[in-house]
Amino acid sequence: MHRRAAANLAGSSHQRTAHSTTTTHSSQPSLPTGAEPMYSESDESDTESTGHTSHSAEFQELQEEDDDDTPAPSIFSFRSSRDGLNLLRESEGRLFNAQNELYALPADDTEFDRLDKQHLAQLLIVGGLYLPKELVESILAPREGVERAILDLGSGSGSWAIEMANAFPHAQVVGIDLAPTTTKELPPNCRFEFDDFTLGLPHYHHCFDVVHARFIANGVTSFTAIIEEMAQCLRPGGIALLVEADFELLNEHLEPLNAAQDDDDSPNTSWLSRFFMETYETLKQRGSDIDGSRNIGTLIRDCTLLENCGKQTLYTNVGPWLRGTWSQNPHETLVIRRRILEGSNPTEQERYDRIGELLRSDLLELGDSFKPLLLSEGYFPDVVNQILDNMKKELNDSNFHSYIQWHFAWGTRRIETTTGLDEESLEYSSGESSPASGSAGLPPETNDDEGLSTPFSGMSIDDQSQYSL
């Protein structure tokens, strides 16, 4: 079930709760050139609301219309006293979005903290906010008479959008999420919107220079459709950027780790791989395009609106086992982030160790984030607890060595879009090298995903495994 409920957040700070009544607002950034307001509703002033009347029907019945006084495409300002009950729901003690039942991860501060760790790990993996660096920077370069615009789909905790707004102060940045962050102070050129981008964004077609989507697989039914919509939102020459994680876990020799069963301690088995496998199967059965996540390079190339397509697959260590010893000084996280954003790289040892520790912490929390999904889909609590407990023991074991794969893909909007293009007419490059590539000590990136592939092709778990240990 999907409900189109768009709300705008600009320079606001809110407590994320279904019953909080405190909100503050500042002025909203202007629209990207060509965008029109999508929703309009006369609203009371931003004072504390004491009622909790449901607005669900109003959200569903909103019609597209122009509003001369409102520069934002979605003019609802989020007020948790009024909207929290409509945009968020509670399950197993966690808050979730209430618009799109397919997206299975929480939308609370605990989850946003995990996403911030994941974001910092990506900064370290890529050496910045995006790949390919030179192409993105050339597209976003200031140009007289042109206001640059960036769209972040599935903005989550907001870190990527906020840091892009700081990095490109001449650009307007819009983040769209089913339940975006409401607790962070925003730069004046950044705003977030509550919306379901899987329903289409026709009001944003031809409006952006960069459209970015990272780790959205569990909330979409078709990457082909999402890539098409991303391309539609681009101006000619603009770039679409996709980043996804692979559910197939690899050992230190870059071979697939088999999913552990019961108390099986056979070589090359892993409870983390078991968790990934069960989650993958559950999401796939619910309709998520999980297989598309590892094939984004092929799918973005197949979009006839895009050209100059490229892809990379990078491998990163889980846990600080690859090199050196992680220091527990939390100040180092801020120092490394500052170095990256200022254009200077941390040392190799700092980078490997921080990547490993951040990903280990991220995965420890990811198990708890997916737990409500597994329970809601019929897994017995003792089975879920068995998997998660063993997975956490494994992640905290210094002898457990594994790699995660990250897939990056991009393509630019054709200056003159034509039809009937064959595959040979698309330029398909491997892109530039990354500081996380093999030359820096990590395993090399690969570009070999010709054709569509699925993880766990060599593994099988008894169909009743979720119901018995």
Side-chain angles (χ1 to χ4, degrees), residues 229-272:
E229 191 65 17
M230 292 174 72
Q232 292 282 7
C233 290
L234 288 171
R235 297 165 176 164
I239 189 167
L241 305 173
L242 275 168
V243 186
E244 288 295 332
D246 200 302
F247 273 74
E248 188 169 59
L249 190 67
L250 305 178
N251 63 20
E252 60 187 314
H253 306 296
L254 299 183
E255 302 164 340
L257 273 164
N258 296 319
Q261 300 188 52
D262 301 333
D263 295 324
D264 184 8
D265 58 357
S266 302
N268 204 49
T269 60
S270 163
W271 282 97
L272 178 58

Side-chain angles (χ1 to χ4, degrees), residues 267-287:
N268 204 49
T269 60
S270 163
W271 282 97
L272 178 58
S273 185
R274 169 72 178 272
F275 166 72
F276 280 164
M277 184 175 183
E278 300 287 4
T279 304
Y280 164 85
E281 294 291 350
T282 300
L283 292 172
K284 188 172 181 177
Q285 290 172 11
R286 295 175 83 246

Side-chain angles (χ1 to χ4, degrees), residues 109 287 302 329:
D109 291 336
D302 291 343
N329 181 359

Side-chain angles (χ1 to χ4, degrees), residues 90-163:
E90 187 173 348
S91 176
E92 300 291 334
R94 303 294 297 270
L95 288 178
F96 294 81
N97 88 86
Q99 295 189 71
N100 181 335
E101 294 177 359
L102 186 65
Y103 187 78
L105 286 169
D108 51 26
D109 291 336
T110 300
E111 176 67 4
F112 287 158
D113 288 343
R114 184 189 72 80
L115 292 176
D116 281 340
K117 294 174 185 175
Q118 190 179 76
H119 171 72
L120 179 55
Q122 287 296 308
L123 283 180
L124 291 162
I125 292 166
V126 175
L129 290 163
Y130 42 79
L131 284 176
K133 297 181 184 63
E134 292 183 3
L135 181 55
V136 173
E137 288 167 4
S138 67
I139 289 171
L140 289 176
R143 181 176 151 196
E144 187 175 353
V146 176
E147 184 177 56
R148 298 302 184 192
I150 301 167
L151 179 61
D152 186 23
L153 301 180
S155 54
S157 70
S159 291
W160 190 89
I162 291 170
E163 290 179 11

Side-chain angles (χ1 to χ4, degrees), residues 21-37:
T21 57
T22 303
T23 62
T24 59
H25 301 273
S26 64
S27 61
Q28 299 176 358
S30 61
L31 268 179
T33 302
E36 295 294 333

